[in-house]
């Protein structure tokens, strides 16, 4: 009986020890994770007001915020998201990324690690390989440099690897293709170089491959067998010359700004799930595949800036999803398909710089595309002449030589006769008027052509380049990513930046944040009006750019690109402190220029633009000191803000207000100068300045 009791007590003691050991193990694990998180917060100089943690805080149940988010499962941290977008950490000088990742390694069940925009510097520590449970890694928008550590290859569960917007260098290692579960690989905006490893074609689970804005070169691996690949983005590299064969399930293909110089593969016409295709600014030659236009899911197509040839037909079919098409700067001929015509829908369609019959946008003459097409075409294979045809060849050569000789003699006769006619004409000048009988329709066509040529010459004299659509990367490059040093103005209608395009053209870029969400098609009409605002006394618009939300592709911002006017404002040269003074003739010219500019806004386009409420600071001076009105009310600006009903373009008050504005500008330009007051002197025509001018018909402008 005593032995039985002893055994029972021993058994209970053993159970108690096991229970205490498990409890102690859980507490120790929780304690070590808590200490690791506290250490990470200290290393990152985490602001105290972003978290209310204390020694007794259950961090697994703490409320997430914009800077720090923790996700737990069974009291173990499985996700850690740290973002510096809203608080910009000021890391101490002795900060060490090795220490940071050493503490991260104390989280053994961590599956998601996101360290974004924290200012982390140095090489990526090798002890990242200790986080064997990692499935998602995002360390974008930091300052990591050097090569990718090979220890990442130990992370066999890795599904997403994002290293965007850092300074990584070197080549993409071959072991990347050995990660069995990798589905997202994004290395955008780094300094990687060399060729892409062929092992990438082994990633059967890969869905997104984004390697844009690096220095990759050489051939693109064969991705045709990657059946799950949906997004392939290789923009802004040096890849080429062969165009990659796309997988059939591809939804987005972006190869913009590379060195692809051969033709388009026929397989491209079989990508029925393709929604976006951007192959602009390469050196692609050969025929454009019209079947691409009819891909059922295609909504965005940009082939501009290549050497693609072919004839477009009016009855070609297009995808009903198409919302943006850019065919500009190729060698296309024929007629724009009816399904792409701007009047047939709300699409944005750009096709200038080809040889199309449509003249709504500028085109080359047909001969330009014909000659260029011959220059880039591939010579057909010439078969060798067999011996049995030698006589036929000899006979044809003799006939050709005989015909050529007769042609040369005839040409010489024509030249001699023409010279003789010229000499005779010089002696007896023609005075007879020749009248041709032409049909009224032909006469109307000549008049229309003459009007078109006149308008073309007028635009050419302005010196502004043709209106076109820009991409956001072009404007970012022109303004150094909209750096504050390039900011030259700001107001209720957005910011204005000075920039320089890649061809050296100086521009002013107005960035307008849209208050309401609309798709691209909603702005087609307004942009059409803006593109027509070309006049010698108005600042010309030379293009626009859309910045869209990623969730629904609605427009979040529109950038309007203007010509840059270099010599400041009119107020600057007529002020008392100006080093350069306007003469009386220059003042008269400026006043007339303002009047002509306002008249063009009223009558030069239909419908006119009224209610501009111009100020003297809105009048700029170009390199020849000619005035150009800058801040006229663009249709987009009017729609983007609540306008006073008294300034309605349809009412007479708007026109009266415009006339008053004009007269104020004229009087300030002509009369509000100290030297002119002294000239008038004893006549006392302007004793107290413009604000006291009492002319009856102008009194409502100043006092009403």
């Amino acid at each position: 009986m005593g032995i039985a009791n002893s055994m029972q007590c021993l058994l209970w003691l053993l159970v108690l020890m096991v229970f205490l050991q498990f409890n102690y193990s859980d507490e120790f694990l929780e304690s070590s994770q808590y200490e690791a998180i506290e250490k990470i917060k200290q290393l990152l100089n985490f602001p105290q007001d972003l978290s209310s943690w204390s020694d007794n805080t259950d961090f697994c149940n703490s409320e997430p915020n914009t800077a720090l988010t923790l996700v737990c499962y069974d009291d173990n941290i499985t996700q850690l998201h740290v973002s510096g977008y809203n608080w910009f950490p000021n890391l101490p000088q002795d900060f060490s990324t090795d220490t940071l990742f050493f503490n991260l390694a104390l989280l053994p069940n961590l599956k998601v690690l996101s360290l974004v925009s924290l200012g982390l510097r140095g090489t990526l520590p090798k002890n990242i390989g200790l986080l064997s449970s990692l499935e998602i890694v995002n360390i974008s928008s930091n300052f990591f440099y050097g090569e990718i550590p090979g220890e990442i290859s130990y992370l066999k569960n890795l599904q997403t690897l994002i290293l965007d917007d850092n300074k990584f260098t070197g080549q993409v290692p071959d072991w990347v293709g050995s990660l069995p579960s990798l589905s997202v690989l994004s290395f955008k905006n780094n300094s990687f170089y060399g060729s892409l490893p062929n092992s990438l074609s082994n990633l059967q689970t890969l869905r997104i491959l984004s390697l844009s804005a690096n220095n990759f070169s050489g051939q693109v691996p064969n991705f045709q067998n990657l059946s799950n690949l949906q997004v392939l983005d290789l923009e802004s590299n040096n890849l080429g010359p062969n165009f990659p064969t796309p997988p059939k399930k591809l939804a987005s293909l972006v190869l913009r700004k590379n060195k692809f110089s051969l033709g388009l593969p026929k397989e491209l016409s079989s990508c029925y799930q393709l929604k976006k295709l951007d192959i602009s600014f390469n050196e692609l030659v050969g025929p454009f595949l019209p079947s691409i236009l009819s891909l059922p899911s295609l909504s965005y197509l940009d082939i501009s800036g290549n050497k693609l040839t072919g004839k477009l037909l009016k009855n070609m079919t297009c995808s009903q999803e198409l919302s943006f098409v850019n065919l500009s700067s190729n060698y296309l001929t024929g007629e724009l398909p009816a399904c792409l015509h701007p009047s047939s829908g709300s699409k944005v369609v750009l096709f200038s710089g080809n040889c199309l019959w449509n003249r709504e946008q500028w085109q080359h003459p047909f001969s330009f595309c014909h000659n260029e097409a011959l220059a880039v075409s591939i010579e057909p294979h010439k078969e060798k002449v067999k011996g049995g045809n030698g006589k036929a060849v000899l006979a044809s050569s003799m006939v050709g030589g005989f015909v050529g000789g007769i042609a040369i003699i005839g040409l010489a006769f024509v030249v001699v006769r023409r010279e003789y006619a010229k000499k005779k004409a010089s002696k007896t000048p023609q005075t007879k008027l020749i009248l041709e009988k032409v049909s009224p329709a032909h006469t109307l066509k000549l008049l229309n052509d003459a009007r078109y040529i006149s308008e073309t010459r007028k635009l050419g004299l302005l010196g502004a380049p043709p209106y076109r659509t820009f991409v956001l990367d072009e404007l970012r490059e022109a303004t150094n990513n909209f750096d504050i040093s390039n900011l030259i103005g700001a107001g209720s209608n957005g910011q204005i930046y000075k920039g320089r395009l890649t061809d050296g053209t100086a521009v002013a870029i107005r960035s307008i944040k849209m208050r309401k969400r609309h798709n691209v098609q909603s702005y087609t009409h307004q942009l059409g009006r803006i593109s027509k605002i070309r006049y010698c006394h108005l600042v010309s618009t030379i293009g626009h750019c859309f910045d869209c939300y990623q969730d629904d592709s609605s427009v979040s911002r529109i950038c309007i690109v203007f010509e840059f006017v270099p010599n400041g404002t009119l107020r600057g040269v007529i002020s008392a402190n100006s080093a350069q003074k306007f003469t009386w003739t220059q003042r008269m010219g400026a006043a007339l220029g303002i009047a002509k500019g306002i008249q063009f806004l009223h009558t030069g386009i239909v419908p006119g633009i009224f209610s501009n409420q111009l100020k003297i600071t809105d009048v700029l001076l170009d390199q020849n000191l000619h005035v150009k009105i800058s801040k006229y009310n663009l249709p987009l600006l009017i729609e983007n803000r609540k306008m006073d009903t008294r300034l309605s373009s349809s009412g007479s008050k708007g026109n009266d207000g415009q006339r008053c504005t004009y007269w104020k500008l004229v009087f300030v330009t002509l009369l509000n100068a100290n030297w002119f007051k002294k000239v008038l002197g004893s006549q006392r025509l302007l004793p107290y300045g413009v604000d006291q001018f009492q002319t009856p018909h102008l009194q409502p402008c100043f006092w009403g």
Side-chain angles (χ1 to χ4, degrees):
M1 188 70 177
I3 297 176
N5 291 334
S6 299
M7 291 296 294
Q8 188 175 6
C9 291
L10 182 62
L11 181 61
W12 279 108
L13 181 61
L14 181 61
V15 171
L16 181 61
M17 290 179 62
V18 171
F19 173 77
L20 290 175
Q21 183 170 353
F22 275 109
N23 191 36
Y24 173 77
S25 176
D26 290 342
E27 290 180 357
F28 176 76
L29 181 60
E30 183 177 344
S31 176
S32 63
Q33 291 184 91
Y34 176 80
E35 292 176 357
I37 294 297
E38 281 293 331
K39 183 63 176 177
I40 291 170
K41 287 180 58 181
Q42 294 176 8
L43 287 171
L44 295 178
N45 200 15
F46 209 92
Q48 294 296 326
D49 57 349
L50 291 181
S51 178
S52 58
W53 287 356
S54 63
D55 293 339
N56 298 322
T57 300
D58 181 5
F59 53 84
C60 281
N61 294 318
S62 60
E63 290 293 328
N65 54 54
T66 57
L68 177 63
T69 301
L70 286 175
V71 178
C72 297
Y73 181 77
D74 287 343
D75 294 329
N76 290 307
I77 297 177
T78 57
Q79 296 187 32
L80 173 61
H81 303 264
V82 186
S83 172
Y85 283 132
N86 298 318
W87 56 285
F88 299 104
N90 186 14
L91 299 179
Q93 293 183 352
D94 58 347
F95 175 81
S96 171
T97 54
D98 289 314
T99 305
L100 174 64
F101 277 83
F102 174 79
N103 285 275
L104 289 172
L106 298 177
L107 308 175
N109 297 290
L110 192 64
K111 296 181 181 298
V112 179
L113 175 62
S114 178
L115 305 174
V116 178
S117 191
L118 299 178
L120 303 178
R121 300 177 181 274
T123 58
L124 187 59
K126 295 181 179 180
N127 51 14
I128 189 176
L130 300 176
L131 297 167
S132 58
S133 298
L134 278 178
E135 297 177 359
I136 298 176
V137 175
N138 182 2
I139 57 171
S140 57
S141 301
N142 287 291
F143 300 97
F144 286 111
Y145 57 81
E147 297 184 354
I148 303 175
E151 285 72 14
I152 293 183
S153 62
Y154 302 159
L155 308 178
K156 297 302 181 182
N157 298 320
L158 195 61
Q159 300 176 14
T160 298
L161 179 59
I162 302 176
L163 309 179
D164 298 345
D165 300 302
N166 281 282
K167 298 181 178 181
F168 285 106
T169 58
Q171 297 183 328
V172 176
D174 285 333
W175 53 255
V176 171
S178 65
L179 296 172
S181 303
L182 195 63
S183 60
V184 177
L185 183 63
S186 185
F187 294 168
K188 294 189 297 185
N189 196 21
N190 280 280
S191 298
F192 290 107
Y193 57 82
S195 59
L196 300 178
N198 290 324
S199 61
L200 290 175
S201 59
N202 299 329
L203 295 172
Q204 295 297 322
T205 58
L206 195 63
R207 293 186 297 105
I208 297 175
L209 178 60
S210 183
L211 306 175
S212 61
N214 282 282
N215 297 310
F216 293 116
S217 59
Q219 301 293 345
V220 178
N222 186 4
F223 295 142
Q224 189 174 11
N225 295 326
L226 298 184
S227 57
N228 293 305
L229 189 62
Q230 299 176 11
V231 176
L232 178 59
D233 183 1
L234 304 177
E235 179 182 348
S236 298
N237 283 286
N238 297 305
L239 296 166
N242 293 326
F243 196 98
T245 303
K248 290 187 177 181
K249 291 186 179 180
L250 205 61
S252 176
L253 177 60
V254 180
L255 303 178
R256 173 184 167 84
K257 288 187 177 180
N258 275 281
K259 295 185 177 180
F260 298 109
S261 58
L262 300 182
L264 299 177
K266 295 181 180 179
E267 292 82 359
L268 202 57
S269 300
S270 302
C271 296
Y272 298 114
Q273 300 182 26
L274 196 63
K275 296 182 179 180
K276 179 177 182 179
L277 176 61
D278 188 348
I279 54 176
S280 57
F281 295 100
N282 281 281
E283 300 172 4
L284 293 166
V285 300
F288 169 65
L289 304 175
S291 54
I292 293 177
L293 291 171
S294 59
L295 290 174
S297 301
L298 192 66
S299 61
Y300 185 103
L301 174 64
D302 192 348
I303 65 169
S304 61
N306 286 288
K307 301 177 181 179
L308 295 172
T309 60
K311 185 175 182 179
L312 300 182
L313 301 176
K314 186 176 182 179
N315 59 354
M316 286 180 173
T317 58
C318 304
S319 168
Q320 295 182 355
E321 302 295 325
L322 273 176
S323 59
F324 179 87
V325 179
N326 191 352
L327 309 176
S328 305
S329 302
N330 281 283
Y331 301 134
L332 301 175
T333 60
E335 185 175 2
L336 190 72
C339 57
L340 293 182
H341 202 276
S343 62
S344 65
S346 55
K347 303 180 182 69
V348 175
V349 180
L350 306 172
F351 52 90
S352 64
N354 286 283
C355 300
L356 299 173
W357 298 343
N358 308 76
R359 295 294 175 177
E360 292 89 350
Q361 299 180 24
W362 177 81
Q363 302 292 315
H364 290 288
F366 175 78
S367 58
F368 175 84
C369 293
H370 180 68
N371 294 334
E372 294 296 335
L374 292 178
V376 302
S377 63
I378 301 175
E379 289 288 336
H381 180 68
K382 297 181 180 180
E383 296 183 358
K384 294 184 179 180
V385 180
K386 297 182 180 179
N389 296 330
K391 293 182 179 180
V393 174
L394 179 61
S396 62
S397 299
M398 293 176 64
V399 173
F402 179 73
V403 173
I406 293 177
I408 293 174
I409 294 173
L411 181 62
F413 177 76
V414 171
V415 172
V416 172
R417 186 173 179 179
R418 182 175 296 176
E419 291 296 327
Y420 176 76
K422 287 182 179 179
K423 291 181 180 180
K424 186 176 180 180
S426 62
K427 295 179 180 180
T428 57
Q430 294 283 345
T431 58
K432 184 178 180 180
L433 179 63
I434 300 177
L435 297 177
E436 295 184 1
K437 295 182 179 180
V438 295
S439 65
H442 184 67
T443 304
L444 181 60
K445 182 179 184 302
L446 292 177
L447 292 174
N448 289 335
D449 291 344
R451 188 179 297 112
Y452 174 78
I453 294 172
S454 175
E455 290 297 323
T456 303
R457 289 179 177 173
K458 184 189 296 183
L459 293 180
L461 291 174
L462 294 180
Y467 190 94
R468 71 180 183 92
T469 297
F470 293 85
V471 294
L472 192 59
D473 287 344
E474 288 182 274
L475 304 187
R476 284 174 176 166
E477 183 178 353
T479 59
N480 192 20
N481 199 19
F482 296 98
D483 190 85
I484 193 172
S485 60
N486 292 318
L487 184 66
I488 57 177
S492 59
N493 289 323
Q495 297 79 33
I496 303 178
Y497 296 86
K498 179 182 178 181
R500 187 170 295 276
L501 303 178
T502 54
D503 62 357
T505 303
V507 293
I509 302 169
R510 175 176 288 177
S511 175
I512 309 169
K513 187 171 180 62
M514 309 312 294
R515 298 182 179 180
K516 296 181 180 179
R517 286 198 173 194
H518 295 293
N519 56 23
V520 173
Q521 296 90 325
S522 303
Y523 299 103
T524 304
H525 177 68
Q526 294 95 321
L527 292 172
R529 291 184 64 194
I530 291 174
S531 65
K532 297 176 183 177
I533 303 177
R534 293 292 181 96
Y535 189 65
C536 57
H537 293 297
L538 299 176
V539 177
S540 298
T541 53
I542 62 176
H544 69 271
C545 171
F546 291 118
D547 187 11
C548 300
Y549 293 103
Q550 294 183 355
D551 52 355
D552 60 356
S553 298
S554 60
V555 178
S556 63
R557 176 175 57 157
I558 297 180
C559 295
I560 302 180
V561 184
F562 299 87
E563 63 172 321
F564 182 74
V565 185
N567 281 328
T569 66
L570 177 62
R571 180 177 184 176
V573 297
I574 67 172
S575 64
N577 299 325
S578 175
Q580 182 179 13
K581 299 295 183 181
F582 253 23
T583 64
W584 173 254
T585 303
Q586 288 175 316
R587 288 171 178 266
M588 286 294 296
L592 291 174
I594 295 170
K596 290 178 179 179
I598 293 176
Q599 181 184 17
F600 183 88
L601 289 174
H602 287 179
T603 62
I605 56 176
V606 179
I609 297 178
F610 301 91
S611 308
N612 289 282
Q613 297 300 297
L614 299 176
K615 297 178 290 187
I616 194 169
T617 53
D618 299 334
V619 182
L620 306 181
L621 299 172
D622 65 7
Q623 61 273 14
N624 298 318
L625 297 182
H626 294 158
V627 295
K628 285 179 175 283
I629 300 173
S630 64
K631 292 183 181 178
Y632 44 83
N633 276 343
L634 298 176
L636 281 174
L637 304 184
I638 297 174
E639 184 174 309
N640 198 38
R641 67 185 181 186
K642 295 181 179 179
M643 297 294 295
D644 192 337
T645 56
R646 292 174 299 174
L647 301 179
S648 172
S649 62
S650 60
S652 61
K653 292 184 179 181
N655 295 341
D656 291 341
Q658 185 66 75
R659 280 193 289 269
C660 290
T661 300
Y662 158 66
W663 281 112
K664 288 180 181 179
L665 285 174
V666 169
F667 275 96
V668 169
T669 303
L670 296 180
L671 305 180
N672 193 14
N674 291 330
W675 64 270
F676 192 71
K677 294 177 184 177
K678 292 179 180 178
V679 171
L680 295 178
S682 59
Q683 300 179 24
R684 307 294 293 174
L685 294 179
L686 191 65
Y688 301 108
V690 172
D691 291 337
Q692 300 294 326
F693 203 75
Q694 298 288 333
T695 305
H697 70 281
L698 290 180
Q699 189 171 354
C701 293
F702 297 100
W703 301 100

